[in-house]
Every structure is written in structure tokens, then in C-alpha cells.
Amino acid sequence: MRLHNDVSTGRGSLRSRLAADLTSVTLRPLTAVIPMNPTGIRFSRRLVASSLWAFGPPLRGSRVVRVEHAQLAPAGPTARGEWVRAPRAERDDAVVLYVHGSAYTICSARTHRGITTRLSARTGLPVFACDYRLAPSHRFPSAADDVRAAYEWLLGEGHDPARIVLAGDSAGGHLCVDLALELIREGRPAPAALVAFSPVLDLTMSLAAARERMRRDPMISAAKAARMLDLYLAGHDPQAPRLRFSFDGADRFPPTLVQAGAREMLAADAIELARGLTTAGADCRLEVWPDQMHVFQALPRVVPEAEQALDAAAAFVDEQLEIQRRRGALTLVPPTISQEA
């Protein structure tokens, strides 16, 4: 586990610290009183959508193509989402499969066009943003099944696993890890790389609650986040496989970059994810950015570090795709036949 930004040292920018302080006295009290009923969920969806659009809008000139693919199997999940390509993003040698977060309940591919268009711009790649079904109308494992359907659809479209990068934030990070582990268990090739922004790991929120006792999250409490997750879990044991991960035998897990903010409670989950992967023998890089909030990468108008973090993520993606390209080229070179004089 390589820790690029130490949790305990360094300071974030003044703007990011002021933004976190303001969030703690505005958004956090609001999230505490929003009920987890249909009215409260509709309000939360509008609130988050408007906030992301205001503080991290899509890049102008980006192209978005909606996808509503036929079911991959009778009565099976449907691959839904949208292709996003930023201006001057002209590479077609690989793709990014992006999975949004917000407790499996709130967001969509559309709300995350700010971060997906910026990833496309920095990597030069098209991004397919998965639109999985949301709780509480659709419970576990609907979201996981839909992410798997999107991945299988990309394979069916001719994309090589070694040229697919998984990326996601918050609950989307959990879904990306689940997909990678399922592929490994099935003995199938792993994707080229995985990028997780503020990933959820422990769906009981126990890790988050322990960190909150040391420093309060500016956005939401661990208890309220757990109630939101319950809308998706629907009585399933959060310790069950595909919800609580085991990294035994995960040495074939794709190279992974984990980014989190030091001021968010899910920094504990990010650290534990990196620890689990490296213990299993996988390559995982951990970045905990000082004074940053949850998924700060989606807030470039507010947080200067958002652009820096996305630059680091894009550099990681480029590096891993180049490694895979060289590895693939080597396999195409015929062995040298020695000749005796």
C-alpha cells in the first residue's frame, strides 16, 4: 500500500477548508432531518442533482449518447447508461466504465456528468456511465446486477477487458470492487485498472462511525448514512458475500487507485480497502487528501484539489493502460529460435 498523501500531515487549500466548514453548518443539519420516505428521497435527489450541477457542471461541448440496451438474458438486468465524450477526447483504444454513488439511492449518470466529462477530458477516452436501478424501488442485488450487465454489454460490443477501466465513487466504488472480485472468482480476465473515489467498504458504517468519533464528517452522520444504505440492503445481512468483501485470493485484482478526503468518515473505508488489497498481494495506491470532503473530485468550482485529484487519477489510468498495452504487445512477439552455428 503506497500512501501518497498522509492523513495526519499537510493542509488543504483555504477554499477547501472554508467549503467544508460551511457544509458542516448547512448541509449536515439538513441531511439529519430529511426523512427516508418517498418525499424525502425525491427532495434529496433534487438537492444533490442541483448541487453537483452548480459546483461541478459538465464540460461544455461534451457529447452524451443515451444507451438503453436490450436485456442480455431473458428476465435479466438491462444495460443502461450513457456514453460521455469530452471535447478533444479522441482516443478509442480503451474505455472507462463509471459507476456513480450516493448510497444506491440518490444519483444517476446525469448527475455525474461533471466528473465523467472531466475524466473523459483528462484521459482522452470515452466514458460509459452506468445507470443502475435505484433503491428503495430496487433492492440488493439490483445495482450490482446492473453494473455487471453494463460490463458484459461492453464486452459484447467488442471491448477487451485489458482495455476497460472501472471507476466509481462512494457506493459506486463498492460496486466496482464487487464486479472485479466476481470476475476473479469466476476465473475471468480482470479489467485493466480500478479507480475508487471515497469508496464505501463497510456497509454497516462501523468503520465510518469510529472515524466520526475522531472527526465529524461535514456532510452526513454515519447513522444517517446507514439508514440510507438500509433502503438498498432491505434486510440482507451486510456481512453476506458481495456486501462484505473477502480479498482471499485477490492477488489478480486489477491495479487500483483509491482517493479519499481526510475530513470524511469514509476515509476509514478507503484505508481498509487499500489494506485488504495490498495484504492479498494486489497493487493498490492510496491517496488521502488533507482537509477534503466526500467525493471532493466532483466539486471543482469549490475545491481546487478536485482538478489535481482528477489529474492524478487520469495519470494512473494512462500508466496502467500503457502497462497493459506493452504486456499485450509482448505476447504477440514470437519466441526467438536459437540457431546453432
Side-chain angles (χ1 to χ4, degrees), residues 12 19 50 79 144 161 211 245 257 281 324 329:
S50 60
R211 187 171 182 91
F245 300 135
L257 172 66
Q324 291 289 347

Side-chain angles (χ1 to χ4, degrees), residues 1-4 177 194-196 199 247 250-251 253-259 269-287 316 320:
M1 177 173 63
R2 286 179 279 177
L3 181 61
H4 290 192
V177 173
L194 191 153
V195 177
F247 297 105
D251 55 306
F253 199 89
T256 298
L257 172 66
V258 180
Q259 292 182 343
D269 290 55
I271 293 168
E272 189 60 29
L273 172 60
R275 182 179 293 116
L277 288 174
T278 53
T279 299
D283 175 14
C284 183
R285 306 179 191 181
L286 172 66
E287 297 180 357
F316 174 80
Q320 297 305 320

Side-chain angles (χ1 to χ4, degrees), residues 22 55 60 65 67 98 118 142 195 229 265 287 307:
L22 181 60
F55 301 131
R60 290 185 178 179
V65 178
V67 173
Y98 193 89
R118 284 172 174 79
S142 296
V195 177
L229 291 174
M265 59 186 175
E287 297 180 357
E307 303 283 16

Side-chain angles (χ1 to χ4, degrees), residues 21 27 29 103 131 222 234 253 258 274 297 299 304 306 337:
D21 290 341
L27 181 60
D131 238 345
F253 199 89
V258 180
Q297 300 87 346
L299 307 172
I337 301 175

Side-chain angles (χ1 to χ4, degrees), residues 6 8-14 16-17 215 289-292 305:
D6 196 321
S8 59
T9 62
R11 295 294 301 274
S13 65
L14 177 60
S16 66
R17 284 182 276 134
R215 190 174 191 184
W289 290 67
D291 291 317
Q292 301 308 309
E305 287 85 348

Side-chain angles (χ1 to χ4, degrees), residues 43-57 110-111:
F43 175 81
S44 296
R45 288 173 179 170
R46 287 194 296 269
L47 174 66
V48 173
S50 60
S51 298
L52 289 174
W53 216 259
F55 301 131
R110 187 177 188 275
T111 64

Side-chain angles (χ1 to χ4, degrees), residues 224-282:
K224 186 61 179 253
R227 287 196 291 274
M228 291 182 67
L229 291 174
D230 283 343
L231 297 176
Y232 177 63
L233 297 178
H236 286 85
D237 183 0
Q239 306 295 335
R242 300 194 72 187
L243 293 176
R244 183 177 180 86
F245 300 135
S246 169
F247 297 105
D248 293 341
D251 55 306
R252 290 179 47 243
F253 199 89
T256 298
L257 172 66
V258 180
Q259 292 182 343
R263 197 158 173 179
E264 64 169 313
M265 59 186 175
L266 288 184
D269 290 55
I271 293 168
E272 189 60 29
L273 172 60
R275 182 179 293 116
L277 288 174
T278 53
T279 299

